[in-house]
Coordinates of all heavy atoms in Angstrom, one line a residue:
M467 N -22.6 -9.6 -0.7 CA -21.3 -10.0 -0.2 C -20.9 -9.3 1.1 O -20.3 -9.8 2.1 CB -20.3 -9.9 -1.3 CG -18.9 -10.4 -0.9 SD -18.9 -12.1 -0.9 CE -17.2 -12.5 -0.7
N468 N -21.3 -8.0 1.3 CA -20.9 -7.3 2.5 C -21.6 -7.9 3.7 O -21.0 -7.9 4.8 CB -21.4 -5.8 2.4 CG -20.6 -5.0 1.4 OD1 -19.4 -5.4 1.0 ND2 -21.0 -3.9 1.0
H469 N -22.8 -8.5 3.5 CA -23.5 -9.1 4.6 C -22.8 -10.3 5.1 O -22.7 -10.6 6.3 CB -25.0 -9.3 4.1 CG -25.8 -9.9 5.2 ND1 -25.4 -10.1 6.5 CD2 -27.2 -10.0 5.2 CE1 -26.5 -10.4 7.2 NE2 -27.5 -10.4 6.5
K470 N -22.3 -11.1 4.2 CA -21.5 -12.3 4.5 C -20.2 -12.0 5.3 O -20.0 -12.6 6.3 CB -21.1 -13.1 3.2 CG -22.2 -14.0 2.7 CD -21.6 -14.8 1.5 CE -22.5 -15.9 1.1 NZ -21.9 -16.7 0.1
I471 N -19.6 -11.0 4.8 CA -18.3 -10.6 5.5 C -18.6 -10.1 6.9 O -17.8 -10.3 7.9 CB -17.5 -9.6 4.7 CG1 -16.9 -10.3 3.4 CG2 -16.3 -9.1 5.4 CD1 -16.2 -9.4 2.4
K472 N -19.6 -9.2 7.0 CA -19.9 -8.7 8.3 C -20.3 -9.8 9.3 O -19.9 -9.7 10.5 CB -21.1 -7.8 8.2 CG -20.8 -6.4 7.7 CD -22.1 -5.6 7.6 CE -21.7 -4.2 7.1 NZ -22.8 -3.3 7.0
N473 N -21.0 -10.9 8.9 CA -21.4 -11.9 9.8 C -20.4 -13.0 10.0 O -20.6 -13.8 10.9 CB -22.7 -12.4 9.3 CG -23.8 -11.5 9.3 OD1 -23.8 -10.5 10.1 ND2 -24.9 -11.7 8.5
T474 N -19.3 -13.1 9.2 CA -18.3 -14.1 9.4 C -17.3 -13.7 10.5 O -16.9 -12.6 10.5 CB -17.6 -14.3 8.0 OG1 -18.5 -14.6 7.0 CG2 -16.6 -15.4 8.2
P475 N -17.1 -14.6 11.4 CA -16.2 -14.2 12.5 C -14.7 -14.0 11.8 O -14.3 -14.6 10.8 CB -16.0 -15.5 13.4 CG -17.3 -16.3 13.0 CD -17.7 -15.8 11.6
I476 N -13.9 -13.2 12.5 CA -12.6 -12.9 11.9 C -11.6 -14.0 11.8 O -10.8 -14.1 10.9 CB -12.0 -11.6 12.6 CG1 -10.8 -11.0 11.8 CG2 -11.5 -12.1 14.0 CD1 -10.5 -9.6 12.3
W477 N -11.8 -15.0 12.7 CA -10.9 -16.1 12.7 C -11.2 -17.0 11.5 O -10.3 -17.6 10.9 CB -10.9 -16.9 14.0 CG -12.3 -17.6 14.3 CD1 -13.3 -17.1 15.0 CD2 -12.6 -18.9 13.9 NE1 -14.3 -17.9 15.0 CE2 -13.9 -19.1 14.4 CE3 -12.0 -19.9 13.2 CZ2 -14.6 -20.3 14.1 CZ3 -12.6 -21.1 13.0 CH2 -13.9 -21.3 13.5
K478 N -12.5 -17.1 11.1 CA -12.8 -17.9 9.9 C -12.3 -17.2 8.6 O -11.8 -17.9 7.7 CB -14.4 -18.1 9.8 CG -14.9 -19.3 10.5 CD -16.3 -19.5 10.2 CE -16.9 -20.8 10.8 NZ -18.2 -21.0 10.5
L479 N -12.6 -16.0 8.6 CA -12.1 -15.2 7.4 C -10.6 -15.2 7.2 O -10.1 -15.4 6.3 CB -12.7 -13.8 7.5 CG -12.8 -12.9 6.3 CD1 -13.8 -13.6 5.3 CD2 -13.3 -11.5 6.7
G480 N -10.0 -15.1 8.4 CA -8.5 -15.1 8.4 C -8.0 -16.5 8.0 O -7.0 -16.5 7.3
L481 N -8.6 -17.5 8.5 CA -8.2 -18.8 8.1 C -8.4 -19.1 6.6 O -7.5 -19.7 6.0 CB -8.9 -19.9 8.9 CG -8.4 -21.2 9.0 CD1 -7.0 -21.3 9.6 CD2 -9.3 -22.1 9.8
R482 N -9.5 -18.6 6.0 CA -9.7 -18.8 4.6 C -8.7 -18.1 3.8 O -8.1 -18.7 2.9 CB -11.1 -18.2 4.2 CG -12.2 -19.1 4.6 CD -13.5 -18.4 4.2 NE -14.6 -19.0 4.9 CZ -15.8 -18.4 5.1 NH1 -16.1 -17.3 4.5 NH2 -16.7 -19.0 5.8
F483 N -8.3 -16.8 4.2 CA -7.3 -16.1 3.4 C -6.0 -16.8 3.6 O -5.3 -16.9 2.6 CB -7.2 -14.7 3.9 CG -8.2 -13.7 3.5 CD1 -9.0 -13.1 4.3 CD2 -8.3 -13.4 2.1 CE1 -10.0 -12.2 3.8 CE2 -9.3 -12.5 1.6 CZ -10.1 -11.9 2.5
S484 N -5.7 -17.3 4.7 CA -4.4 -17.9 4.9 C -4.2 -19.2 4.2 O -3.2 -19.4 3.6 CB -4.3 -18.3 6.5 OG -4.2 -17.1 7.2
I485 N -5.3 -20.0 4.1 CA -5.2 -21.2 3.4 C -5.0 -21.1 1.9 O -4.2 -21.7 1.3 CB -6.5 -22.2 3.7 CG1 -6.4 -22.7 5.2 CG2 -6.6 -23.3 2.8 CD1 -7.6 -23.3 5.7
V486 N -5.8 -20.1 1.4 CA -5.7 -19.8 0.0 C -4.3 -19.3 -0.4 O -3.7 -19.8 -1.4 CB -6.8 -18.9 -0.5 CG1 -6.6 -18.3 -1.9 CG2 -8.2 -19.4 -0.4
F487 N -3.8 -18.4 0.4 CA -2.5 -17.8 0.1 C -1.4 -18.9 0.2 O -0.5 -19.0 -0.7 CB -2.2 -16.7 1.1 CG -0.8 -16.0 0.9 CD1 -0.7 -15.2 -0.2 CD2 0.3 -16.3 1.6 CE1 0.5 -14.6 -0.5 CE2 1.5 -15.8 1.4 CZ 1.6 -14.9 0.3
F488 N -1.5 -19.8 1.2 CA -0.5 -20.9 1.4 C -0.6 -21.8 0.2 O 0.5 -22.2 -0.2 CB -0.8 -21.7 2.8 CG 0.2 -22.7 3.0 CD1 1.5 -22.4 3.5 CD2 -0.1 -24.1 2.7 CE1 2.4 -23.4 3.7 CE2 0.8 -25.1 2.9 CZ 2.1 -24.8 3.4
I489 N -1.8 -22.3 -0.2 CA -1.9 -23.2 -1.3 C -1.2 -22.7 -2.5 O -0.5 -23.4 -3.3 CB -3.4 -23.7 -1.5 CG1 -3.7 -24.6 -0.2 CG2 -3.5 -24.5 -2.7 CD1 -5.2 -24.9 -0.2
I490 N -1.7 -21.5 -2.9 CA -1.2 -20.8 -4.1 C 0.4 -20.7 -4.0 O 1.1 -21.0 -5.0 CB -1.8 -19.5 -4.4 CG1 -3.3 -19.8 -4.8 CG2 -1.2 -18.7 -5.5 CD1 -4.2 -18.5 -4.8
S491 N 0.8 -20.2 -2.9 CA 2.3 -20.0 -2.8 C 3.1 -21.3 -2.9 O 4.1 -21.5 -3.5 CB 2.7 -19.3 -1.5 OG 2.0 -18.1 -1.6
A492 N 2.6 -22.4 -2.2 CA 3.2 -23.7 -2.2 C 3.2 -24.4 -3.5 O 4.2 -25.0 -4.0 CB 2.5 -24.6 -1.2
I493 N 2.1 -24.2 -4.4 CA 2.0 -24.7 -5.7 C 3.1 -24.0 -6.6 O 3.8 -24.7 -7.3 CB 0.7 -24.6 -6.3 CG1 -0.3 -25.6 -5.5 CG2 0.6 -24.8 -7.7 CD1 -1.8 -25.4 -5.9
I494 N 3.2 -22.7 -6.5 CA 4.2 -22.0 -7.3 C 5.6 -22.4 -6.9 O 6.4 -22.7 -7.8 CB 4.0 -20.5 -7.0 CG1 2.7 -20.0 -7.7 CG2 5.2 -19.8 -7.7 CD1 2.3 -18.6 -7.4
K495 N 5.9 -22.6 -5.6 CA 7.2 -23.1 -5.1 C 7.5 -24.5 -5.6 O 8.6 -24.7 -6.1 CB 7.3 -23.0 -3.6 CG 8.6 -23.5 -3.1 CD 9.8 -22.7 -3.6 CE 11.1 -23.2 -2.9 NZ 12.2 -22.5 -3.4
I496 N 6.5 -25.4 -5.6 CA 6.8 -26.8 -6.1 C 7.0 -26.8 -7.6 O 7.8 -27.5 -8.0 CB 5.6 -27.6 -5.6 CG1 5.7 -27.8 -4.0 CG2 5.6 -28.9 -6.3 CD1 4.4 -28.5 -3.5
I497 N 6.2 -26.0 -8.3 CA 6.4 -26.0 -9.8 C 7.7 -25.5 -10.1 O 8.5 -26.0 -11.0 CB 5.3 -25.2 -10.4 CG1 4.0 -26.0 -10.4 CG2 5.6 -24.9 -11.9 CD1 2.8 -25.2 -10.9
M498 N 8.2 -24.4 -9.4 CA 9.5 -23.9 -9.6 C 10.6 -24.9 -9.3 O 11.6 -25.0 -9.9 CB 9.7 -22.5 -8.9 CG 8.9 -21.4 -9.5 SD 9.0 -19.9 -8.6 CE 10.9 -19.5 -8.5
S499 N 10.4 -25.6 -8.2 CA 11.4 -26.6 -7.7 C 11.5 -27.7 -8.8 O 12.6 -28.2 -9.0 CB 11.0 -27.2 -6.4 OG 11.0 -26.1 -5.5
V500 N 10.4 -28.1 -9.3 CA 10.4 -29.2 -10.3 C 11.1 -28.8 -11.6 O 11.9 -29.6 -12.1 CB 8.9 -29.7 -10.6 CG1 8.9 -30.6 -11.8 CG2 8.2 -30.3 -9.4
L501 N 11.0 -27.6 -12.0 CA 11.6 -27.1 -13.2 C 13.1 -26.8 -12.9 O 13.9 -27.0 -13.9 CB 10.9 -25.8 -13.6 CG 9.5 -26.0 -14.1 CD1 8.9 -24.6 -14.5 CD2 9.5 -26.9 -15.2
M502 N 13.5 -26.4 -11.7 CA 14.9 -26.1 -11.5 C 15.8 -27.0 -10.9 O 17.0 -27.1 -11.1 CB 14.8 -24.8 -10.6 CG 14.1 -23.6 -11.0 SD 15.1 -22.7 -12.2 CE 14.0 -21.3 -12.5
K503 N 15.3 -27.9 -10.1 CA 16.2 -28.9 -9.4 C 15.6 -30.3 -9.4 O 14.5 -30.6 -9.9 CB 16.2 -28.4 -7.8 CG 16.6 -27.1 -7.6 CD 16.6 -26.6 -6.2 CE 17.0 -25.2 -6.1 NZ 16.9 -24.6 -4.8
D504 N 16.5 -31.2 -8.8 CA 16.0 -32.5 -8.7 C 15.0 -32.6 -7.5 O 15.4 -32.6 -6.4 CB 17.2 -33.5 -8.4 CG 16.8 -35.0 -8.5 OD1 15.7 -35.3 -9.0 OD2 17.6 -35.8 -7.9
F505 N 13.8 -32.6 -7.9 CA 12.7 -32.4 -6.9 C 12.7 -33.4 -5.7 O 12.5 -33.1 -4.6 CB 11.4 -32.4 -7.6 CG 10.2 -32.1 -6.7 CD1 10.1 -30.8 -6.2 CD2 9.3 -33.0 -6.3 CE1 9.0 -30.4 -5.3 CE2 8.2 -32.7 -5.5 CZ 8.1 -31.3 -5.0
S506 N 12.9 -34.7 -6.0 CA 12.8 -35.7 -5.0 C 13.9 -35.5 -3.9 O 13.6 -35.7 -2.8 CB 12.9 -37.1 -5.6 OG 14.2 -37.3 -6.2
D507 N 15.1 -35.0 -4.3 CA 16.1 -34.8 -3.4 C 15.9 -33.4 -2.6 O 16.1 -33.3 -1.4 CB 17.5 -34.7 -4.0 CG 18.0 -36.1 -4.5 OD1 17.4 -37.1 -4.0 OD2 18.8 -36.2 -5.5
Y508 N 15.3 -32.4 -3.3 CA 15.2 -31.1 -2.8 C 14.1 -31.1 -1.7 O 14.2 -30.4 -0.7 CB 14.8 -30.1 -3.9 CG 14.5 -28.7 -3.4 CD1 15.5 -28.1 -2.7 CD2 13.3 -28.1 -3.5 CE1 15.4 -26.7 -2.2 CE2 13.0 -26.9 -3.0 CZ 14.1 -26.2 -2.4 OH 13.9 -24.9 -1.9
V509 N 13.0 -31.9 -1.9 CA 11.9 -32.0 -0.9 C 12.4 -32.5 0.5 O 11.9 -32.1 1.5 CB 10.8 -32.9 -1.4 CG1 9.7 -33.1 -0.4 CG2 10.2 -32.1 -2.6
K510 N 13.4 -33.3 0.5 CA 14.0 -33.9 1.7 C 14.9 -33.0 2.5 O 15.3 -33.3 3.5 CB 14.7 -35.3 1.3 CG 13.9 -36.2 0.8 CD 14.6 -37.5 0.3 CE 13.7 -38.4 -0.4 NZ 14.5 -39.5 -1.0
T511 N 15.3 -31.9 1.8 CA 16.3 -31.0 2.5 C 15.7 -30.1 3.6 O 14.4 -29.9 3.6 CB 16.9 -30.0 1.4 OG1 16.0 -29.2 0.9 CG2 17.7 -30.8 0.3
E512 N 16.5 -29.6 4.3 CA 16.0 -28.8 5.5 C 15.6 -27.4 4.9 O 14.8 -26.7 5.5 CB 17.2 -28.6 6.5 CG 16.8 -27.8 7.8 CD 17.9 -27.8 8.8 OE1 18.6 -28.8 8.9 OE2 17.9 -26.8 9.6
Q513 N 16.2 -27.0 3.8 CA 16.0 -25.7 3.2 C 14.4 -25.6 2.8 O 13.7 -24.7 3.0 CB 16.9 -25.4 1.9 CG 16.5 -24.1 1.2 CD 17.4 -24.0 0.0 OE1 18.0 -24.9 -0.3 NE2 17.2 -22.8 -0.6
F514 N 14.0 -26.7 2.2 CA 12.6 -26.8 1.8 C 11.7 -26.9 2.9 O 10.6 -26.2 2.9 CB 12.4 -28.1 0.8 CG 11.0 -28.3 0.3 CD1 10.6 -27.4 -0.8 CD2 10.1 -29.1 0.8 CE1 9.3 -27.5 -1.4 CE2 8.8 -29.2 0.2 CZ 8.5 -28.4 -0.7
R515 N 11.9 -27.6 3.9 CA 11.1 -27.6 5.2 C 11.0 -26.3 5.8 O 10.0 -25.9 6.2 CB 11.7 -28.7 6.2 CG 10.9 -28.9 7.4 CD 11.5 -29.9 8.3 NE 12.9 -29.7 8.6 CZ 13.3 -28.9 9.7 NH1 12.5 -28.3 10.5 NH2 14.6 -28.8 9.9
N516 N 12.1 -25.6 5.9 CA 12.2 -24.2 6.6 C 11.4 -23.3 5.7 O 10.7 -22.4 6.2 CB 13.6 -23.8 6.8 CG 14.3 -24.5 7.9 OD1 13.6 -25.1 8.7 ND2 15.6 -24.4 7.9
Y517 N 11.4 -23.4 4.4 CA 10.7 -22.6 3.5 C 9.2 -22.7 3.7 O 8.4 -21.8 3.8 CB 11.0 -22.8 2.0 CG 10.3 -22.0 1.1 CD1 10.8 -20.6 0.8 CD2 9.1 -22.4 0.5 CE1 10.1 -19.8 -0.1 CE2 8.4 -21.6 -0.4 CZ 8.9 -20.3 -0.6 OH 8.3 -19.5 -1.5
M518 N 8.8 -24.0 3.8 CA 7.3 -24.3 4.0 C 6.9 -23.8 5.4 O 5.7 -23.3 5.5 CB 7.0 -25.8 3.8 CG 7.1 -26.2 2.3 SD 5.9 -25.3 1.4 CE 6.4 -25.6 -0.2
I519 N 7.7 -24.0 6.4 CA 7.3 -23.4 7.7 C 7.2 -22.0 7.7 O 6.2 -21.4 8.2 CB 8.3 -23.9 8.8 CG1 8.2 -25.4 9.0 CG2 8.1 -23.2 10.1 CD1 9.2 -26.1 9.8
G520 N 8.1 -21.3 7.1 CA 8.2 -19.9 7.0 C 6.9 -19.4 6.2 O 6.2 -18.4 6.5
L521 N 6.6 -20.1 5.1 CA 5.5 -19.7 4.3 C 4.2 -19.9 5.1 O 3.3 -19.1 5.0 CB 5.5 -20.6 3.0 CG 4.3 -20.3 2.0 CD1 4.5 -18.9 1.5 CD2 4.4 -21.4 1.0
G522 N 4.1 -20.9 5.9 CA 2.9 -21.1 6.7 C 2.7 -20.0 7.7 O 1.6 -19.5 7.8
V523 N 3.8 -19.6 8.3 CA 3.7 -18.5 9.3 C 3.3 -17.2 8.6 O 2.4 -16.5 9.1 CB 5.0 -18.3 10.2 CG1 5.1 -17.0 10.9 CG2 5.3 -19.6 11.0
F524 N 4.0 -16.9 7.5 CA 3.7 -15.7 6.7 C 2.2 -15.7 6.3 O 1.6 -14.6 6.3 CB 4.7 -15.5 5.6 CG 4.4 -14.3 4.8 CD1 4.8 -13.0 5.3 CD2 3.8 -14.3 3.5 CE1 4.6 -11.9 4.6 CE2 3.5 -13.1 2.9 CZ 3.9 -12.0 3.4
S525 N 1.7 -16.8 5.8 CA 0.4 -16.8 5.3 C -0.6 -16.6 6.4 O -1.7 -16.0 6.2 CB 0.1 -18.1 4.6 OG 0.1 -19.2 5.4
M526 N -0.3 -17.1 7.6 CA -1.2 -16.8 8.8 C -1.3 -15.4 9.1 O -2.3 -14.8 9.3 CB -0.8 -17.6 10.0 CG -1.0 -19.1 9.9 SD -2.6 -19.6 9.7 CE -3.2 -19.5 11.3
I527 N -0.1 -14.7 9.1 CA -0.1 -13.3 9.4 C -0.8 -12.5 8.4 O -1.6 -11.6 8.6 CB 1.4 -12.8 9.5 CG1 2.1 -13.4 10.8 CG2 1.5 -11.3 9.6 CD1 3.5 -13.3 10.8
Y528 N -0.5 -12.8 7.1 CA -1.1 -12.2 6.0 C -2.7 -12.4 6.0 O -3.4 -11.4 5.7 CB -0.5 -12.7 4.6 CG -1.3 -12.2 3.3 CD1 -1.0 -11.0 2.8 CD2 -2.1 -13.0 2.7 CE1 -1.6 -10.5 1.8 CE2 -2.8 -12.6 1.5 CZ -2.5 -11.3 1.1 OH -3.1 -10.8 0.0
G529 N -3.1 -13.6 6.2 CA -4.6 -13.9 6.2 C -5.2 -13.2 7.3 O -6.4 -12.6 6.9
F530 N -4.7 -13.2 8.5 CA -5.5 -12.4 9.5 C -5.4 -10.9 9.3 O -6.3 -10.2 9.7 CB -5.0 -12.9 10.8 CG -5.5 -14.2 11.2 CD1 -4.8 -15.3 11.1 CD2 -6.9 -14.3 11.7 CE1 -5.3 -16.6 11.4 CE2 -7.4 -15.6 12.0 CZ -6.6 -16.6 11.9
L531 N -4.3 -10.4 8.7 CA -4.3 -9.0 8.3 C -5.3 -8.6 7.3 O -6.0 -7.6 7.4 CB -2.8 -8.6 7.9 CG -2.6 -7.2 7.5 CD1 -2.8 -6.3 8.7 CD2 -1.2 -7.0 6.9
M532 N -5.3 -9.4 6.3 CA -6.4 -9.2 5.2 C -7.8 -9.3 5.8 O -8.6 -8.6 5.4 CB -6.2 -10.1 4.1 CG -4.9 -9.9 3.3 SD -4.9 -8.2 2.6 CE -6.2 -8.2 1.5
A533 N -8.0 -10.2 6.6 CA -9.4 -10.5 7.2 C -9.7 -9.2 8.1 O -10.9 -8.7 7.9 CB -9.4 -11.7 8.1
S534 N -8.8 -8.7 8.9 CA -9.1 -7.5 9.7 C -9.4 -6.3 8.8 O -10.2 -5.5 9.1 CB -8.0 -7.2 10.7 OG -6.8 -6.9 10.0
L535 N -8.6 -6.2 7.7 CA -8.8 -5.1 6.8 C -10.2 -5.2 6.0 O -10.9 -4.1 5.9 CB -7.7 -5.0 5.8 CG -6.4 -4.6 6.3 CD1 -5.3 -4.7 5.2 CD2 -6.4 -3.1 6.8
Q536 N -10.5 -6.3 5.7 CA -11.9 -6.6 5.0 C -13.0 -6.3 6.1 O -14.0 -5.7 5.6 CB -12.0 -8.0 4.5 CG -11.3 -8.3 3.3 CD -11.8 -7.5 2.1 OE1 -13.0 -7.4 1.9 NE2 -10.9 -7.1 1.2
K537 N -12.9 -6.6 7.3 CA -13.9 -6.4 8.3 C -14.0 -4.9 8.5 O -15.1 -4.4 8.6 CB -13.6 -7.1 9.6 CG -13.7 -8.6 9.5 CD -15.1 -9.1 9.4 CE -15.6 -9.3 10.8 NZ -16.9 -10.0 10.9
R538 N -12.9 -4.2 8.6 CA -12.9 -2.8 8.8 C -13.5 -2.1 7.6 O -14.3 -1.1 7.8 CB -11.5 -2.3 9.0 CG -11.4 -1.3 10.0 CD -10.0 -0.8 10.3 NE -9.3 -1.8 11.1 CZ -7.9 -2.0 11.0 NH1 -7.2 -1.2 10.1 NH2 -7.3 -2.9 11.6
K539 N -13.2 -2.5 6.4 CA -13.7 -1.9 5.1 C -15.2 -2.1 5.1 O -15.9 -1.2 4.6 CB -13.0 -2.5 3.9 CG -13.5 -2.1 2.7 CD -12.7 -2.8 1.6 CE -13.5 -2.8 0.3 NZ -12.9 -3.6 -0.8
N540 N -15.7 -3.2 5.5 CA -17.1 -3.5 5.3 C -18.0 -3.1 6.6 O -19.2 -3.6 6.6 CB -17.4 -5.0 5.0 CG -16.9 -5.3 3.5 OD1 -17.3 -4.6 2.6 ND2 -16.0 -6.2 3.4
K541 N -17.5 -2.4 7.4 CA -18.3 -2.0 8.6 C -19.3 -0.9 8.3 O -19.2 -0.1 7.5 CB -17.4 -1.5 9.7 CG -16.9 -2.6 10.6 CD -16.3 -2.2 11.8 CE -15.9 -3.5 12.6 NZ -15.2 -3.1 13.8

């Protein structure tokens, strides 16, 4: 595994971490929204859109931070 991480470019590794974090967080948010609110109306609101945009930005930052830490750890 160390060999794979060493040879993978940081942008690919960061993108992978970001996508996984975003998908898991979005699924959790959608499940919570289905249980708590009228989902079809909530998805159309600006609050939900802003939450998803914020989650996307945060997941990109988190993904690339984790990628750089993994690269540093496996040097």
Side-chain angles (χ1 to χ4, degrees):
M467 187 68 175
N468 288 343
H469 190 350
K470 275 186 169 180
I471 291 176
K472 281 183 182 179
N473 293 336
T474 305
I476 196 162
W477 66 270
K478 270 189 177 178
L479 202 58
L481 196 60
R482 286 180 197 162
F483 279 120
S484 299
I485 289 170
V486 169
F487 183 76
F488 180 80
I489 289 172
I490 290 172
S491 300
I493 288 172
I494 290 171
K495 176 64 176 175
I496 289 170
I497 289 172
M498 288 176 59
S499 298
V500 166
L501 295 176
M502 302 278 182
K503 302 174 182 176
D504 185 20
F505 185 67
S506 61
D507 291 336
Y508 180 63
V509 172
K510 297 173 187 172
T511 63
E512 189 173 330
Q513 179 186 6
F514 184 76
R515 182 178 53 88
N516 289 341
Y517 180 84
M518 286 298 163
I519 291 170
L521 181 63
V523 170
F524 180 76
S525 68
M526 291 298 283
I527 293 168
Y528 173 78
F530 284 98
L531 178 65
M532 290 303 295
S534 66
L535 291 174
Q536 284 293 321
K537 292 288 268 192
R538 219 179 286 149
K539 177 182 156 188
N540 289 306
K541 277 189 175 180

